[in-house]
Amino acid sequence: MDRPRVGELSPPDRLLMGPGPSDVHPRVLRSMSTPLVGHLDPSFVEIMDDVQELLRYVFRTDNQWTIPVSGTGSASMEAAVANLTEPGDTVLVPGNGYFGERMAAMVERAGGEAVFVEAPWGDPLDPAAVEAAFDRHQPDIFGFVHAETSTGTLQPNVPELTSIAHEHDALVIADTVTSLGGVELRVDEWGIDVAYSADQKCLSCPPGASPLTLNDRAMDKVLARETPVRSWYLDLSLLQEYWGDERAYHHTAPITNVYALREALRLVAEEGIENRWARHRRVAGALKAGVDAMGLALNPEEDWWLPSLNAVRLPAGVDDGTVIDALLEEYGIEIAGGLGDLSGEILRIGCMGHSARPENVLALVSALGNTLEALDADVDADAGASAARRALKR
Ligand SMILES: Cc1ncc(COP(=O)(O)O)c(C=O)c1O
């Protein structure tokens, strides 16, 4: 067989304004080219401590069990679901988007039974519907998606939902993949028992080390399981030996991803978490003002607008793939289309982490306006661009 002749790696220069990953901060990229140490090196053990402390700050929690799971967001999602769910458990999951369905699939694989809180895609969960589902199914665990990336919907009333679950003695798992580090999230104050996330969204890292936090009540359930977790790799009772006091080998941590996460979290701490939430609202607010003035509408109602992921309704007769391809090819900007029930109906425009900057939103709003005008859609590109500019001056 001939030697493969593969050219040097040279990815195109993109502006990442889709549902993730987002643009990586240069400091994070630099941290990834620093020398490797071993995963049990005393210096790495200190780095692990730093990451845990910083993650607690970003999650707004005092939970001891706060770690990055090796793998992407689905790995920390599966760590949460598979460790909490024992065979025979009933788990109430959200029916209002794509990631609730993934949660249900993971519950079933863990030997549990998934039951849904019904809600249309694009709406948040209604506390009354959650209460009714609790009365009907008496679940052991309640999972919800705080920031549903498939629909651009933010779940309001989180403390109300967690209170309902706790009154029924259930544990709460929150998907915070698209909210951590970008949208207000208070794990302890809001009564969330377990929260999982990813690092390539509002934390702006390359994907690979995914935050997870569990309070003592949740960890007690994990440690008291009658049957071992089916996944050896994600078994938290084993992982605690590495991330807990012993620092004993379980698997080789993705060292470079942990460096990246540490640097990204340091950037969050330097900015201040509340300031970071405010920046996302301000910059994404300009995006919202721009698309609105252009003549487009956001899919979710104002009360559950998700700054980190803006779901914009497509004008009549416009094909989402044509717009997405034009933005990528002509402007180097990545956005995405809808999934599931909203496929072909919306564009999904991310405004996350290092991508959530005024100049990026201005570039996106004018590129989108020009592209739609070129497709003869009924939009006013100039009005959109000036509304976004005005919003940023406020
Ligand atoms: C809300 C939500 N949950 C879970 C995931 C899964 O994360 P990953 O694709 O990093 O495995 C995603 C990814 O987009 C997400 O948006």
Side-chain angles (χ1 to χ4, degrees), residues 19-21 71-77 98-100 102-103 106 145-150 175-179 196-201 207-208 210 309 339 348 352:
T72 67
S74 302
S76 65
M77 180 176 192
Y98 181 88
F99 290 100
R102 183 172 297 185
M103 214 185 258
M106 289 179 176
V145 179
H146 183 219
E148 183 39 90
T149 328
S150 64
D175 179 316
T176 65
V177 167
T178 294
S179 55
Y196 62 82
S197 193
D199 62 351
Q200 76 275 17
K201 309 262 184 182
S210 299
L309 197 286
L339 294 174
R348 290 184 303 144
M352 306 180 185

Side-chain angles (χ1 to χ4, degrees), residues 177-223:
V177 167
T178 294
S179 55
L180 182 71
V183 177
E184 182 176 12
L185 167 69
R186 302 178 186 275
V187 166
D188 288 0
E189 201 179 311
W190 291 357
I192 295 168
D193 299 297
V194 180
Y196 62 82
S197 193
D199 62 351
Q200 76 275 17
K201 309 262 184 182
C202 300
L203 297 178
S204 283
C205 278
S210 299
L212 173 69
T213 186
L214 294 90
N215 64 15
D216 287 346
R217 193 165 154 246
M219 198 61 185
D220 286 349
K221 176 166 196 231
V222 173
L223 297 177

Side-chain angles (χ1 to χ4, degrees), residues 285-303:
L287 194 158
K288 184 152 71 84
V291 294
D292 184 50
M294 203 184 287
L296 303 178
L298 282 198
N299 192 59
E301 285 180 24
E302 176 66 27
D303 285 351

